[in-house]
Amino acid sequence: MPAHTRNEIGSMSDTSANPLTRAENILDGSPLGVLVTDANWKVRYANQPLLEAVGASLEDLVGEHLLLLPGKTHRQDSLGELLHYFTHLTLSPPEKIEMKVVPVQVPEKRFIRVQVSPFRPAQSEGGYLFLFADATREGEIDEMKSEFISVASHEMRTPMTSIKGSLELLLGGYGGELPTETAELLGICLTAVDRLIRLINDLLDIAKIESGKMQLHMGRMNVVDSVKKSMRSLRSLAEANRISVAAEQSENIPEVLADRDRIEQVITNLLSNALKYSPPESVVRVRVCAVDNAVRVSVSDQGPGISPEQLNKVFDRFHQLEGAKKGTGLGLTISRALVEQHQGRIWAESEPGHGSEFHFELPAITGE
Amino acid sequence: MQIRKVLLVEDEEDIRKVAQISLQFRGGWEVSLATNGEECLAQALSDLPDLILLDCMMPKMDGYEACRRLKQDPVLRHIPVIFLTAKAQETEVRKGLSLGAIGYLTKPFNPMSLVAEIQQILTNQEKAR
């Protein structure tokens, strides 16, 4: 729709005098949907392409809270995923530009790339700028890739299980006592198969997360129990590397609503990373504490630390730090996705030469 | 409880073989085999085993349906059933226990400790009685 037929934003007579209106007219010609909210997520502006896409007028949207938008549009679209993403944003507001490809049903499946940037102009109050672009092709290719990984991993897991079982029987003496070197070679096979199985399981987790098929079995739980369980499962790894693991907790840790197995997976991942990067005779600390309506778990090590430029990338897929050999490069990516699916957040702090500290927080169950 | 004969029901040939060897080698048990729920019912009737190890996901008739039918059969209902399941189906199999199985084991299992784990489940079951 050409800008001069519109009358939602001010009168046309002052177009040249009002720089804001002029900027809005330019934005109406953009192929991107543009939405601006104030710092409290109330809509201040939406450009014409966005209004047309959602079938709403500017009056419908201005002043409305971001979370109420999907209900304000005139089309009967299922925008649940988008709403879910908006909820995530309002709970943990982005501090720099954040981008995500979100699937929506409108009514056929499409993907939208949402880019959110906070702005804090000097004179007026701050807010958020949203840019929406169609990313259906990109989203479909990504889905096909996840589907492929999922099918391929499933097909690989069964033969791996048979190989592992056969090796364990042979090493366990089923064929009689083995010459030392034969046992050593079979031991190498078993270690390699174990690693492949871990990789396959990680790939399956990633595929599930990326296709939105990761289902959480939520229940009330105490994070401290999961920390204890993870510590028990990693005791032999710690002892083998001569590293002591110290656990601390503040008093009155509230319960959280979470998937017990998955939270344990996150803690085990952080703890085993800390053990892998720790020098012998050092200490790994696990702390659980309550912070403003959340429970925080922190794992710190006395390893080599992570440089600032690496620190941004540690949660990326297949990113491994120098010296890492035994991992899949997917553990932290999975941990981040799991924590975020619990409406929590995860981050890392480090100073090269002074160890690293990884934290995650889950919303606490408050009140009764 | 003394185990002599076990019926192993598993559709994947290689996993069946590994489990069979493990039960014979570690437990000294006699092992008969079936590859789906239908075969399981027929085999159970002809063998009357002391224990049935039952995979969950199988063609023709899955493990849950086979368990339900075993527990309805006056001749077979007393035979203890233990499910074998993939880790991913753990939540599902917990529901499957209401069908009358006494426990479950997750795959991949370690063939060197499979017999010990089965005996642990049987011991727990006897204590609970």
Side-chain angles (χ1 to χ4, degrees):
Chain A
M1 195 186 285
H4 64 265
T5 63
R6 291 187 48 214
N7 57 8
E8 285 99 342
I9 310 169
S11 84
M12 295 306 295
S13 60
D14 60 4
T15 304
S16 56
N18 185 339
L20 185 63
T21 309
R22 200 164 57 215
E24 287 167 355
N25 287 340
I26 293 168
L27 289 177
D28 280 345
S30 157
L32 299 175
V34 180
L35 181 82
V36 179
T37 73
D38 62 20
N40 298 316
W41 306 102
K42 294 255 171 70
V43 175
R44 287 166 60 186
Y45 167 74
N47 76 341
Q48 196 57 25
L50 182 80
L51 294 169
E52 281 171 23
V54 301
S57 72
L58 197 59
E59 289 90 345
D60 291 337
L61 303 190
V62 166
E64 288 298 338
H65 193 275
L66 183 68
L67 294 180
L68 297 176
L69 288 193
K72 286 286 167 189
T73 59
H74 292 162
R75 285 175 30 184
Q76 296 300 306
D77 300 335
S78 149
L79 294 168
E81 284 293 329
L82 204 55
L83 184 64
H84 186 75
Y85 178 55
F86 286 167
T87 311
H88 156 77
L89 283 177
T90 55
L91 289 174
S92 52
E95 283 172 14
K96 50 186 185 231
I97 294 179
E98 182 173 314
M99 198 153 75
K100 188 174 170 80
V101 174
V102 185
V104 290
Q105 298 284 346
V106 288
E108 75 286 10
K109 187 163 189 179
R110 301 197 69 78
F111 289 86
I112 299 175
R113 187 189 307 107
V114 187
Q115 184 182 315
V116 191
S117 8
F119 62 88
R120 291 179 190 81
Q123 282 162 355
S124 69
E125 56 174 327
Y128 297 92
L129 168 68
F130 286 74
L131 299 177
F132 298 87
D134 184 85
T136 301
R137 182 86 191 115
E138 186 186 332
E140 281 171 354
I141 290 172
D142 230 42
E143 270 201 334
M144 275 157 55
K145 187 202 65 198
S146 294
E147 176 74 14
F148 169 75
I149 292 175
S150 167
V151 171
S153 313
H154 261 300
E155 291 306 313
M156 283 190 278
R157 201 146 61 160
T158 308
M160 285 296 165
T161 306
S162 310
I163 297 173
K164 180 176 158 69
S166 305
L167 289 168
E168 280 165 339
L169 277 171
L170 289 173
L171 283 163
Y174 171 65
E177 200 179 323
L178 297 168
T180 315
E181 283 182 355
T182 309
E184 242 172 67
L185 289 171
L186 290 177
I188 291 172
C189 295
L190 186 58
T191 309
V193 167
D194 279 337
R195 191 172 166 208
L196 276 173
I197 291 174
R198 273 205 307 278
L199 180 60
I200 291 167
N201 288 339
D202 280 0
L203 284 171
L204 267 173
D205 275 352
I206 286 280
K208 267 192 234 162
I209 286 164
E210 291 187 347
S211 62
K213 286 179 190 149
M214 171 67 80
Q215 288 189 346
L216 298 178
H217 304 286
M218 306 293 262
R220 292 179 82 104
M221 61 169 281
N222 190 332
V223 175
V224 175
D225 295 337
S226 296
V227 168
K228 285 182 187 156
K229 213 169 156 196
S230 292
M231 283 173 65
R232 273 199 300 276
S233 72
L234 290 169
R235 189 179 295 157
S236 57
L237 178 65
E239 280 168 4
N241 294 333
R242 302 201 305 281
I243 298 161
S244 54
V245 180
E248 302 159 25
Q249 64 178 90
S250 57
E251 278 174 25
N252 300 326
I253 304 287
E255 287 190 309
V256 295
L257 192 63
D259 183 321
R260 190 178 298 270
D261 290 346
R262 293 302 182 176
I263 294 308
E264 206 183 298
Q265 181 179 353
V266 174
I267 297 169
T268 303
N269 171 242
L270 297 184
L271 203 49
S272 68
N273 281 348
L275 291 172
K276 269 184 227 161
Y277 287 98
S278 287
E281 316 295 346
S282 66
V283 182
V284 167
R285 280 177 210 289
V286 189
R287 278 181 296 119
V288 183
C289 58
V291 283
D292 323 322
N293 301 326
V295 175
R296 181 187 296 172
V297 179
S298 308
V299 179
S300 65
D301 63 55
Q302 299 174 323
I306 306 166
S307 67
E309 56 277 16
Q310 294 275 326
L311 202 57
N312 290 327
K313 297 183 196 150
V314 289
F315 293 101
D316 293 352
R317 266 187 287 188
F318 297 113
H319 186 81
Q320 285 190 304
L321 296 171
E322 235 171 272
K325 285 196 184 102
K326 293 276 156 64
T328 62
L330 290 169
L332 284 174
T333 311
I334 294 169
S335 290
R336 179 176 62 184
L338 288 173
V339 169
E340 286 179 356
Q341 212 176 331
H342 280 86
Q343 317 298 339
R345 63 190 191 113
I346 185 168
W347 72 101
E349 292 166 7
S350 182
E351 200 184 319
H354 293 89
S356 313
E357 188 159 26
F358 283 77
H359 314 265
F360 74 90
E361 280 179 9
L362 299 175
I365 299 175
T366 48
E368 278 306 313
Chain B
M1 131 173 224
Q2 190 64 35
I3 301 282
R4 285 180 302 113
K5 276 191 298 185
V6 183
L7 172 56
L8 170 65
V9 192
E10 163 67 58
D11 63 326
E12 289 286 344
E13 187 181 351
D14 294 341
I15 293 177
R16 194 167 62 234
K17 187 77 192 168
V18 171
Q20 180 190 3
I21 291 175
S22 150
L23 299 170
Q24 290 167 338
F25 173 53
R26 301 292 291 176
W29 298 338
E30 194 183 309
V31 183
S32 56
L33 304 169
T35 62
N36 61 55
E38 282 175 12
E39 282 181 29
C40 163
L41 296 172
Q43 196 70 33
L45 269 176
S46 69
D47 283 4
L48 296 177
D50 303 317
L51 174 72
I52 298 175
L53 294 181
L54 191 53
D55 184 24
C56 294
M57 309 301 281
M58 289 180 298
K60 288 188 186 166
M61 187 194 292
D62 70 15
Y64 301 120
E65 178 60 18
C67 183
R68 205 176 59 78
R69 297 201 189 188
L70 284 166
K71 293 300 158 191
Q72 281 172 356
D73 189 303
V75 182
L76 305 175
R77 66 192 316 164
H78 70 280
I79 303 174
V81 173
I82 294 176
F83 281 126
L84 289 172
T85 181
K87 178 86 180 140
Q89 267 94 44
E90 217 172 328
T91 320
E92 208 172 309
V93 82
R94 280 181 203 145
K95 289 180 216 152
L97 290 183
S98 61
L99 296 168
I102 60 167
Y104 68 92
L105 295 163
T106 54
K107 291 192 275 189
F109 48 81
N110 181 339
M112 293 309 288
S113 56
L114 184 62
V115 166
E117 284 176 44
I118 291 170
Q119 274 162 341
Q120 188 61 53
I121 292 176
L122 290 167
T123 310
N124 292 346
Q125 167 73 5
E126 275 164 24
K127 274 189 205 153
R129 268 195 200 150

